[in-house]
Amino acid sequence: MKAFSFERAIDAAQAAKRAFEMPGSKFIAGGTNLLDLMKHEIEVPPHLIDVTHIGLDEITATDDGGLRIGALVSNTALGADERIRRDYPVLSRALFAGASSQLRNKASTGGNLLQRTRCPYFFDPKMPCNKREPGAGCAALDEGADTRQLGVIGTSDHCIATHPSDMAVALRVLDAEVETIDPEGRTRRLTLDEFYLLPDDTPEVENALSPGEIITAVVLPAPVGGTQRYFKVRDRASYAFALVSVALIEQENGEGRVALGGVAPRPWRRDDADAELANGATAVMAKLLDGARPTPDNAYKLVLAERTLAALLAKE
Amino acid sequence: MDFNQSADENLFDRARIIGKPHKRIDGALKVTGTAPYAYERNDVVENHLVGYPLGASIAKGRITRMDAAAARNAEGVAAVITALDIDELPRADSNVAKLFGGDLVEHYHQAIAVVVAETLEQARAATSLIEVEYEETPGEFDLDDAWKRLQDRDVINEVGDVDAAFERAEVSIDEIYHTASQSHAMMEPHASIADWCDGKHLTLWTSNQMIAWSKKALATTLELDEADIRLESPFVGGGFGGKLWLRADAVLAALGSRETGRPVKVALPRPFIFNNATHRSGTVQRLRIAANKDGRITAFDHSAISHTLPGGSGEDAVNQTRCFYAGENRRVAHHAIDMNLPEAADMRAPGEASGLAVLEIAMDEMAEKLGLDPVEFRILNDTQVNPEEPHKRYSDRHFVECLQKGSEAFGWRERNKVPGSRREGQWLIGQGVAGAYRGAITMDSGARVRLSQGKLVVETDMTDIGTGSYTIIAQTVAETMGVTMDEVEVRLGNSAYPVSSGSGGQFGAASSTAGVYAACLALQEEIGKRLSIESPRFENGRVVSGDQDLGLFEIEGEELVGEDTLHFGDFQDEIELGTFGAHFVEVAVNAYTGETRLRRMLSVCDAGRILNPITARSQVLGGMVMSIGAALSESLSIDTARGFFANHDLAGYEIAVHADIPEQEVIFLDTLDGASTPLKAKGVGELGICGGAAAVANAMYNATGIRLRDYPLTLDRMLDRLPAI
């Protein structure tokens, strides 16, 4: 871990301003991911801005019947919130499928969205990784690499890492938006597909945040009802990242939405795949995973995704 | 004291303390965080520095250049020692991989430098400032390639005519299996504080299972006299065989201390546990079994390979196949393949854990082919002699009773016999059984007992690696000397104490308590001399002989000391000593995703006298948990392009977690093995892991009808065979 300077921000606008003034600085909230990355020197911020005292730790109703989740609401508080459990159960289920209770107590909503990939080559500073060191190459793409956990779609010739969040998959299926403020004090809202960028030839750029811009909230639209499920598939029963996860909202008329985790650099959803829901898992995945480029070691994820959705649709 | 024949009836058969459940006497220290683990021994050294290692980033080759100037100039740094600064340190007999020094790189994350600084953070930050250039040479990392290439596997032993037996076999199987490389993944990493400030006398506070071995290895490696070395390892936060040896933490701490003239502490960073320390090698195994239609086995043919650095022994997965079941014709072969991966060495039940994981699947396959119940098939092929050398009888073997008692307690008869036909919602339910076997090795073990100021103090270099040594040794002293547990103080893990068996190979509990018993008898003799009485009895805190009746702690005069080593005699070579068990497992396999979850597990163990049912149960439970991990998730992923274990942290290397272990039960048979030790005890520390993985595999087969032969038994291996959606 490199030595760093540290300050505590008083509000989001000031935090954004300070981050802009201190190039390379990072916001720190729960620190559940950032501290690990700093110990490995995968992240080497010269300056940390503590955002745990800027408020934004409440869940409030919006004018159009939805909820605004402050960026500092902990994963535990969010998952346990009565309104979330009642009106957005897929989000609660996804949160409690993730990490461990200790981590969820510390982890924030904004930090969860910004967690980095768990690709083993990203996590080993001695390995070439375009995400960690642009232009260095990608060890995961070499024959013989360990790719069982890595991405099958939305990846590129420069990076096949996945985004590890469960929460983000549920947010994607709920059409949540990310609300931010930039160093000029301007706010904006981004859909998750706008927020998360695919790797292409710049895997080091993972999201649309501009320098200094900070997440202030996640906004949920009015509840859409339906049966909401989250199925996280993993080798052990807890404390593991998803091999594949499926977030599903199913309406009584058979329509609905599907998002996948564990397969792509961002939560993976397509409107044309949603439209196939009434036709079953195979039809959905034909669209949703169209264009997939798996490795021999992770091609199973294509089958697994389809079978996992089938399990949710089977109602047994 | 020589143990030259089986123990007759003795005081342990009338025990009041041995064999009874006693809570750990060191439990309070552990749960209050006051047990002195090596890295936290700030009480024993002043003004210490912190060392942090740098690991090689290639698997094989030579270092051509190292530039540590920037690291040496970094804030807080007191010293940097690079591999090019010193010649390769001599390797102890017990070390295969080099620990430090010289330009040769043998494996990824081999220690190639240590930075010593005022704080951990400073030392860690400075390591990344060291520039290293290598000349890389191609290595070999793929065990399957080696298996395909290998023609002449070393035959260890052959009895009868195996080829002829297979030719005339009425029923046989012939299958290939794989087990994965595994990491000990103990909670406490390898950690040491070294004080070698004067360059002559070395004191090492460390985390190690074998004090005497490590002292010897240190003397060789650092070219010191053993007399100038002191080791302390009173508490060990898990070892599982990974701390049997001297490792880089101790060596780097010592070198750092000599260089700076200050004590230095070094803990291996978590990724080093996977690629710098040792691991259990993966295996490829071919197993053939032949039998008559009546179910009697006529032949075994078991061959296996594992990997090792040159000079190591790998993971011998065929050993148990030589003696576990009956059968006249048998052949086993193991070949350790030289590979440029980190050092493969012992991990909990080395050999048996991998071998039984395969043998016990094969037994299940055979039972099915014969149309026999797998429990009955095993009972039918039980043996009371070593089938390779039938004149060697098992001293005490109750494998059949393990199977029978387990069947009854588990409800085996109600098992669904048609694979894949019991379904509860999305889950396919299945049950499986496997046999467990692990040798009952004994090792000479010494101790010293002092009668001192109102208590008995026992000193031995025996270690407690979480196993309960403190408690069972206190029980042994209390029993033998006729005192209460409160009147015994146990001091362990110090090279100033008599040399014991140490902890490993599940020999520690039986051997060390025998040594403590011998020391107690020596003390009793000293007491008899002091009091000039013959054959005193020690009971209720008193020494009684004829008319004499004196309180033990009222004996006057100088401190009395009894010291002895229990030597196990050659008679044990002429008999078979073993521990036995049967595992029963129920799993649920998701019919859609293939996720497998344990529902319950029962293990029945036959291991002689159980010295303490609480600590022994914990040992077996831990072994069972490890077998679940081995079955379902534990695997060091070899990157065959670069030659290292890619998943080198506890997020990527998935040991079983609480949610994986819903219900476990252990039953101990009430057995005694007088041929083992005076206490008639055998170890259980490794029995629990033996065969458990196969019980899971067999339960999965029963649940799904899908036979998996490659560990870990992950869902990607069976998705294409699960019920259609």
Side-chain angles (χ1 to χ4, degrees):
Chain A
M1 184 184 286
K2 299 290 186 196
F4 56 88
S5 53
F6 180 89
E7 71 175 271
R8 181 167 279 169
I10 51 167
D11 61 38
Q14 187 238 3
K17 198 157 170 291
R18 287 294 294 150
F20 187 77
E21 290 165 4
M22 303 289 284
S25 62
K26 286 267 173 191
F27 302 118
I28 183 163
T32 55
N33 188 216
L34 181 59
L35 286 177
D36 282 350
L37 296 169
M38 288 171 67
K39 288 175 189 172
H40 288 295
E41 296 189 7
I42 296 161
E43 298 268 18
V44 284
H47 186 69
L48 287 185
I49 300 168
D50 175 8
V51 295
T52 55
H53 289 66
I54 63 173
L56 306 180
D57 55 354
E58 289 182 354
I59 304 169
T60 52
T62 60
D63 292 343
D64 57 1
L67 292 174
R68 173 180 281 103
I69 304 158
L72 274 301
V73 172
S74 76
N75 288 179
T76 299
L78 181 58
D81 187 89
E82 190 185 335
R83 294 159 291 178
I84 298 293
R85 286 188 290 139
R86 184 187 59 226
D87 297 331
Y88 308 91
V90 67
L91 177 56
S92 184
R93 289 183 169 133
L95 282 159
F96 289 124
S100 66
S101 52
Q102 295 93 330
L103 289 167
R104 292 192 296 266
N105 287 343
K106 290 294 287 179
S108 66
T109 304
N112 186 316
L113 289 173
L114 293 172
Q115 64 182 298
R116 309 295 304 273
T117 183
R118 291 286 167 165
C119 172
Y121 300 98
F122 174 75
F123 250 84
D124 186 335
K126 292 195 166 70
M127 289 294 135
C129 171
N130 289 320
K131 189 183 277 295
R132 191 167 15 79
E133 192 185 340
C138 172
L141 288 169
D142 290 341
E143 195 180 338
D146 173 20
T147 62
R148 183 171 177 268
Q149 298 265 356
L150 302 183
V152 295
I153 195 163
T155 54
S156 76
D157 291 340
H158 302 272
C159 183
I160 59 169
T162 59
H163 194 268
S165 171
D166 292 299
M167 181 190 81
V169 181
L171 292 178
R172 179 68 188 91
V173 88
L174 288 166
D175 281 337
E177 292 185 331
V178 178
E179 196 175 82
T180 69
I181 187 165
D182 73 6
E184 305 291 322
R186 292 172 300 212
T187 62
R188 61 172 175 158
R189 273 198 203 177
L190 301 159
T191 66
L192 285 191
D193 273 0
E194 291 164 347
F195 180 77
Y196 286 119
L197 305 178
L198 293 179
D200 296 326
D201 55 2
T202 55
E204 74 279 12
V205 185
E206 294 176 352
N207 58 59
L209 293 172
S210 60
E213 187 174 10
I214 184 172
I215 298 170
T216 50
V218 170
V219 180
L220 293 172
V224 294
T227 303
Q228 302 191 5
R229 314 270 296 279
Y230 187 75
F231 195 150
K232 180 177 183 178
V233 181
R234 43 191 160 174
D235 291 323
R236 62 180 172 189
S238 177
Y239 200 49
F241 295 95
L243 299 171
V244 162
S245 67
V246 178
L248 170 69
I249 299 176
E250 199 182 4
Q251 305 295 349
E252 276 183 22
N253 63 5
E255 292 178 358
R257 312 167 177 188
V258 182
L260 296 181
V263 296
R266 67 178 180 209
W268 200 250
R269 188 177 157 203
R270 277 171 62 154
D271 291 343
D272 58 353
D274 286 353
E276 296 289 335
L277 194 59
N279 299 321
T282 305
V284 170
M285 291 303 160
K287 291 275 195 262
L288 193 51
L289 294 174
D290 183 34
R293 301 192 316 163
T295 70
D297 284 345
N298 68 20
Y300 75 91
K301 288 191 175 191
L302 306 181
V303 182
L304 182 59
E306 184 179 325
R307 295 186 67 96
T308 306
L309 178 59
L312 288 175
L313 296 173
K315 300 188 182 63
E316 61 172 321
Chain B
M1 180 180 177
D2 293 326
F3 185 64
N4 280 333
Q5 60 183 44
S6 288
D8 293 328
E9 188 172 341
N10 61 27
L11 80 145
F12 299 109
D13 298 318
R14 305 179 294 277
R16 351 162 251 123
I17 296 174
I18 280 288
K20 305 291 188 285
H22 284 276
K23 290 181 185 168
R24 284 166 199 265
I25 61 173
D26 52 330
L29 288 178
K30 287 185 173 166
V31 298
T32 56
T34 48
Y37 288 91
Y39 199 74
E40 299 157 352
R41 295 302 297 273
N42 299 333
D43 58 320
V44 291
V45 292
E46 285 181 359
N47 201 25
H48 70 267
L49 295 164
V50 182
Y52 198 85
L54 175 68
S57 58
I58 62 165
K60 190 183 181 193
R62 291 192 179 274
I63 305 167
T64 53
R65 189 182 77 91
M66 292 184 82
D67 182 351
R72 289 196 170 97
N73 291 329
E75 190 184 344
V77 171
V80 178
I81 305 166
T82 74
L84 298 188
D85 293 339
I86 61 172
D87 290 338
E88 183 181 322
L89 298 174
R91 296 185 208 204
D93 293 342
S94 49
N95 284 97
V96 177
K98 71 187 258 184
L99 292 179
F100 195 67
D103 65 349
L104 181 68
V105 175
E106 294 179 327
H107 64 88
Y108 188 80
H109 269 178
Q110 174 183 305
I112 58 168
V114 60
V115 176
V116 181
E118 295 292 337
T119 69
L120 169 72
E121 289 75 14
Q122 289 168 338
R124 186 170 55 193
T127 55
S128 62
L129 301 176
I130 300 173
E131 292 174 22
V132 190
E133 288 172 17
Y134 303 94
E135 190 180 285
E136 209 172 342
T137 44
E140 181 170 359
F141 312 112
D142 193 321
L143 202 58
D144 271 311
D145 283 353
W147 173 263
K148 285 170 201 148
R149 208 176 48 237
L150 197 68
Q151 297 301 319
D152 56 329
R153 291 179 274 279
D154 290 341
V155 170
I156 296 175
N157 203 19
E158 179 161 0
V159 173
D161 189 337
V162 171
D163 293 333
F166 275 96
E167 272 169 31
R168 63 171 185 265
E170 291 172 337
V171 180
S172 66
I173 61 158
D174 181 358
E175 298 289 350
I176 304 282
Y177 305 79
H178 291 78
T179 63
S181 289
Q182 295 168 353
S183 172
H184 307 84
M186 69 295 275
M187 188 185 292
E188 180 203 29
H190 300 72
S192 296
I193 303 179
D195 181 344
W196 197 18
C197 299
D198 66 1
K200 179 164 169 52
H201 303 91
L202 170 62
T203 305
L204 190 75
W205 296 270
T206 190
S207 179
N208 193 283
Q209 300 173 225
M210 302 295 289
I211 303 302
W213 292 5
S214 296
K215 184 172 157 182
K216 186 164 180 258
L218 261 179
T220 304
T221 307
L222 299 177
E223 299 177 279
L224 279 168
D225 285 340
E226 282 198 56
D228 292 327
I229 300 172
R230 190 161 62 87
L231 246 78
E232 285 189 28
S233 180
F235 288 92
V236 178
F240 309 117
K243 293 174 181 168
L244 290 167
W245 331 109
L246 177 68
R247 299 304 312 173
D249 58 310
V251 171
L252 298 179
L255 294 176
S257 177
R258 185 176 64 176
E259 182 78 10
T260 60
R262 288 167 66 179
V264 170
K265 61 162 69 171
V266 174
L268 295 188
R270 184 55 66 178
F272 274 53
I273 303 302
F274 301 89
N275 280 298
N276 175 277
T278 60
H279 65 279
R280 186 202 302 282
S281 168
T283 67
V284 184
Q285 303 181 41
R286 179 184 178 194
L287 189 52
R288 304 163 72 202
I289 304 177
N292 294 330
K293 273 185 194 157
D294 66 0
R296 290 191 192 278
I297 292 172
T298 55
F300 283 100
D301 184 8
H302 191 180
S303 55
I305 64 169
S306 58
H307 68 250
T308 177
L309 282 169
S313 52
E315 170 85 354
D316 178 359
V318 304
N319 212 27
Q320 70 291 318
T321 305
R322 302 173 64 176
C323 62
F324 193 19
Y325 293 108
E328 283 177 15
N329 308 287
R330 23 208 333 133
R331 179 164 61 208
V332 291
H334 171 245
H335 202 108
I337 307 290
D338 287 351
M339 285 202 184
N340 308 100
L341 289 163
E343 179 176 339
D346 291 351
M347 180 170 148
R348 201 173 199 171
E352 279 95 339
S354 305
L356 284 158
V358 164
L359 174 63
E360 291 298 310
I361 293 181
M363 290 294 286
D364 204 63
E365 296 186 68
M366 230 14 226
E368 183 180 46
K369 217 162 173 182
L370 287 157
L372 288 171
D373 180 279
V375 169
E376 293 307 318
F377 176 54
R378 286 176 173 83
I379 290 173
L380 189 62
N381 288 287
D382 184 49
T383 177
Q384 289 294 321
V385 299
N386 178 338
E388 276 189 2
E389 300 174 87
H391 69 279
K392 282 191 181 178
R393 289 194 66 78
Y394 277 100
S395 56
D396 197 62
R397 168 170 165 139
H398 304 275
F399 178 48
V400 169
E401 288 89 328
C402 291
L403 288 161
Q404 290 170 333
K405 191 150 197 160
S407 295
E408 200 174 310
F410 187 78
W412 181 254
R413 269 193 211 119
E414 287 83 58
R415 179 177 94 129
N416 166 48
K417 290 181 181 56
V418 182
S421 61
R422 180 177 162 198
R423 187 162 173 152
E424 296 177 9
Q426 297 197 348
W427 296 90
L428 299 163
I429 312 301
Q431 297 175 338
V433 65
Y437 161 80
R438 173 76 173 129
I441 306 164
T442 52
M443 300 274 274
D444 291 356
S445 197
R448 178 159 63 219
V449 187
R450 303 172 183 276
L451 175 57
S452 175
Q453 298 175 342
K455 60 185 176 186
L456 288 163
V457 179
V458 56
E459 297 171 337
T460 163
D461 84 353
M462 178 60 187
T463 47
D464 189 324
I465 59 173
T467 40
S469 307
Y470 279 101
T471 310
I472 58 173
I473 285 172
Q475 288 175 263
T476 305
V477 175
E479 187 75 56
T480 311
M481 300 304 296
V483 300
T484 64
M485 291 285 281
D486 292 343
E487 290 165 328
V488 182
E489 179 183 331
V490 183
R491 299 178 184 166
L492 301 182
N494 191 318
S495 64
Y497 304 151
V499 174
S500 73
S501 62
S503 298
Q506 82 166 10
F507 51 66
S511 303
S512 69
T513 52
V516 167
Y517 169 66
C520 286
L521 295 191
L523 176 63
Q524 291 185 355
E525 203 174 312
E526 293 301 315
I527 292 168
K529 279 189 214 157
R530 171 75 57 88
L531 300 179
S532 302
I533 53 174
E534 303 236 333
S535 312
R537 299 195 312 278
F538 293 80
E539 47 195 37
N540 304 318
R542 307 195 70 79
V543 190
V544 183
S545 174
D547 296 342
Q548 291 219 39
D549 186 345
L550 179 68
L552 179 65
F553 299 113
E554 291 159 22
I555 295 171
E556 292 179 350
E558 276 180 28
E559 178 185 81
L560 283 165
V561 182
E563 179 172 338
D564 200 4
T565 295
L566 191 111
H567 299 284
F568 291 94
D570 294 343
F571 83 102
Q572 290 188 335
D573 298 341
E574 294 308 308
I575 47 178
E576 283 299 322
L577 284 158
T579 62
F580 310 91
H583 302 291
F584 293 82
V585 160
E586 181 173 306
V587 298
V589 181
N590 189 292
Y592 290 84
T593 65
E595 287 171 291
T596 300
R597 301 289 178 248
L598 180 74
R599 303 231 296 197
R600 61 193 177 106
M601 181 172 188
L602 164 69
S603 300
V604 184
C605 300
D606 164 31
R609 188 191 307 282
I610 298 303
L611 299 169
N612 181 336
I614 294 179
T615 54
R617 180 173 180 272
S618 291
Q619 281 298 295
V620 178
L621 290 177
M624 291 159 72
V625 169
M626 236 166 174
S627 75
I628 299 303
L632 295 177
S633 57
E634 285 189 49
S635 172
L636 287 167
S637 303
I638 301 175
D639 180 318
T640 54
R642 289 184 165 76
F644 75 117
F645 299 124
N647 53 340
H648 48 58
D649 61 34
L650 290 173
Y653 183 81
E654 295 189 8
I655 60 170
V657 295
H658 286 92
D660 294 306
I661 312 293
E663 185 185 324
Q664 289 179 295
E665 195 183 330
V666 180
I667 297 173
F668 290 113
L669 295 189
D670 189 13
T671 58
L672 300 173
D673 194 341
S676 177
T677 78
L679 285 80
K680 306 179 183 176
K682 295 181 281 197
V684 294
E686 299 184 339
L687 185 60
I689 194 177
C690 292
V696 175
N698 297 338
M700 288 169 70
Y701 176 73
N702 182 245
T704 62
I706 300 168
R707 181 65 75 182
L708 296 182
R709 300 184 181 90
D710 302 321
Y711 292 97
L713 312 162
T714 47
L715 56 87
D716 40 330
R717 301 190 197 277
M718 61 173 154
L719 278 178
D720 58 342
R721 289 180 277 170
L722 286 167
I725 57 173

